């Protein structure tokens, strides 16, 4: 697998985590059962936070010029 | 607020779907900009707002009352004679914010007080599911109630300082301020909550 494909896969994982994290955190605002609320908010924050960290990692790689599209043909 | 945040969440999911399936044709810069918004800014801003909304929501007395173990204690805030115990006295006279009365009194007035309050909430769930539901009538807090949580309001008040009982012997006030003489456990203000069945029992005894 080339690095470009790997980055694309990571980006997709971040997007999926973002969607599920958003949905869970969104749903948690309407849950009144303490246990379910706690579980949902923990998973939501975890997924959304992880999605953000993955994005920050990708942005840092791009910013530092490690991204393969910025590298020369050699 | 919850519905606005929910609408923003739906918008974000729609943007991600559009980006993922390429519904709107865009170049590399457009995709990066969209990625910056949905993956960078959205989790940070919307996530913080949703988290903050939830934390404010769980401070409400209604949320505490969703656990049926607490129902007697929440009901005790609204007993007709508010002078029978501290909780209805403070609640009914608005000495504490009525919407967040439980949180206000049961969160330590320290730097990490709110964090400890949340950890206590998780502990409630642990106790309920792994040690068995406690008896709603005989609930006890995990640690003795700290004087500083009373004194954050009362400590500097002229009425409290001039109260003859608080000055009945030299050094008593210092003991109260230091927390060695407890407000609630020393027989002075022992009735924090008086639940309906206890009031009925007391009335029967009086009769």
């Amino acid at each position: 697998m080339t690095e470009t494909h790997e980055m694309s896969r990571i980006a997709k994982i971040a997007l999926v985590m973002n969607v599920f994290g958003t949905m869970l955190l969104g749903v948690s605002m309407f849950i009144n059962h303490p246990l379910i609320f706690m579980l949902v908010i923990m998973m939501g924050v975890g997924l959304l936070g992880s999605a953000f960290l993955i994005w920050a990692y990708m942005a840092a790689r791009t910013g530092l010029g490690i991204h393969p599209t910025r590298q020369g043909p050699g | 607020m919850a519905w606005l945040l929910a609408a923003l969440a739906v918008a974000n999911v729609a943007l991600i779907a559009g980006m993922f399936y390429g519904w709107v044709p865009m170049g590399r810069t457009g995709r990066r900009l969209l990625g910056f918004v949905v993956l960078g800014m959205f989790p940070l801003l919307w996530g913080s707002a949703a988290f903050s909304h939830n934390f404010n929501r769980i401070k409400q007395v209604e949320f505490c009352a969703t656990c049926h173990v607490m129902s007697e204690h929440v009901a005790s805030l609204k007993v007709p004679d508010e002078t029978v115990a501290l909780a209805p006295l403070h609640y009914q006279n608005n000495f504490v914010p009525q919407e967040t009365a439980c949180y206000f009194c049961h969160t330590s007035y320290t730097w990490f007080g709110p964090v400890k309050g949340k950890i206590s909430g998780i502990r409630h769930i642990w106790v309920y599911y792994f040690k068995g539901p406690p008896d709603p009538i005989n609930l006890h807090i995990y640690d003795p109630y700290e004087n500083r949580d009373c004194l954050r309001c009362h400590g500097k008040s002229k009425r409290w300082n001039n109260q003859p009982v608080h000055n009945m012997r030299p050094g008593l006030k210092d003991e109260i301020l230091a927390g060695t003489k407890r407000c609630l456990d020393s027989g002075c203000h022992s009735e924090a909550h008086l639940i309906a069945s206890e009031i009925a029992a007391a009335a029967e005894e009086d009769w």
Side-chain angles (χ1 to χ4, degrees):
Chain A
M1 186 182 281
T2 64
E3 199 170 4
T4 312
H5 287 139
E6 190 193 340
M7 290 301 285
S8 166
R9 192 164 57 89
I10 292 173
K12 280 179 185 171
I13 290 169
L15 285 172
V16 171
M17 288 171 83
N18 187 305
V19 168
F20 281 101
T22 303
M23 282 164 58
L24 287 173
L25 203 50
V27 166
S28 74
M29 292 186 290
F30 300 96
I31 295 174
N32 280 327
H33 189 283
L35 176 66
I36 299 171
F37 170 78
M38 192 188 78
L39 294 175
V40 168
I41 195 171
M42 282 168 94
M43 285 194 293
V45 169
L47 284 170
L48 203 59
S50 302
F52 174 76
L53 290 176
I54 291 171
W55 170 80
Y57 164 75
M58 292 193 305
R61 277 178 68 104
T62 309
L64 292 171
I66 303 169
H67 194 282
T69 54
R70 292 248 178 117
Q71 288 175 349
Chain B
M1 183 67 175
W3 287 105
L4 174 67
L5 288 169
L8 286 171
V10 171
N12 184 62
V13 171
L15 278 174
I16 289 174
M19 188 174 151
F20 198 77
Y21 293 109
W23 289 340
V24 183
M26 58 180 78
R28 207 173 94 186
T29 311
R31 266 209 317 280
R32 275 191 180 171
L33 195 64
L34 195 59
F36 173 74
V37 172
V38 298
L39 286 171
M41 288 299 101
F42 182 83
L44 210 60
L45 300 178
W46 182 89
S48 305
F51 200 63
S52 161
H53 173 78
N54 269 330
F55 263 25
N56 283 321
R57 192 169 69 88
I58 61 175
K59 286 180 190 173
Q60 308 284 318
V61 173
E62 285 78 20
F63 189 84
C64 302
T66 57
C67 184
H68 67 264
V69 172
M70 295 311 305
S71 56
E72 293 274 0
H73 278 69
V74 171
S76 81
L77 298 174
K78 294 175 182 171
V79 293
D81 180 9
E82 84 275 13
T83 57
V84 293
L86 294 173
L89 183 75
H90 285 76
Y91 178 82
Q92 292 184 31
N93 290 301
N94 208 31
F95 294 154
V96 294
Q98 290 191 338
E99 299 78 23
T100 56
C102 310
Y103 181 86
F104 192 90
C105 292
H106 288 281
T107 305
S108 294
Y109 191 53
T110 54
W111 185 258
F112 288 109
V115 177
K116 284 169 78 178
K118 302 293 177 294
I119 293 170
S120 261
I122 295 170
R123 193 173 169 186
H124 292 343
I125 293 172
W126 172 266
V127 167
Y128 185 89
Y129 285 101
F130 294 99
K131 293 190 173 178
D135 178 11
I137 313 268
N138 294 312
L139 286 181
H140 297 288
I141 50 177
Y142 302 119
D143 301 308
Y145 198 85
E146 294 282 354
N147 283 8
R148 66 164 175 252
D149 295 332
C150 304
L151 296 171
R152 64 170 150 166
C153 297
H154 293 284
K156 288 179 181 172
S157 84
K158 189 177 170 185
R159 190 176 164 195
W160 185 86
N161 276 290
N162 291 342
Q163 181 71 24
V165 176
H166 298 151
N167 298 292
M168 63 190 290
R169 66 174 167 81
L172 175 61
K173 205 189 284 179
D174 293 332
E175 287 174 25
I176 297 170
L177 291 169
T180 50
K181 178 87 174 166
R182 292 192 180 275
C183 304
L184 271 78
D185 301 341
S186 303
C188 302
H189 304 283
S190 53
E191 294 293 356
H193 287 268
L194 200 56
I195 58 178
S197 55
E198 284 179 325
I199 294 171
E204 254 180 41
E205 268 179 28
D206 288 348
W207 178 256

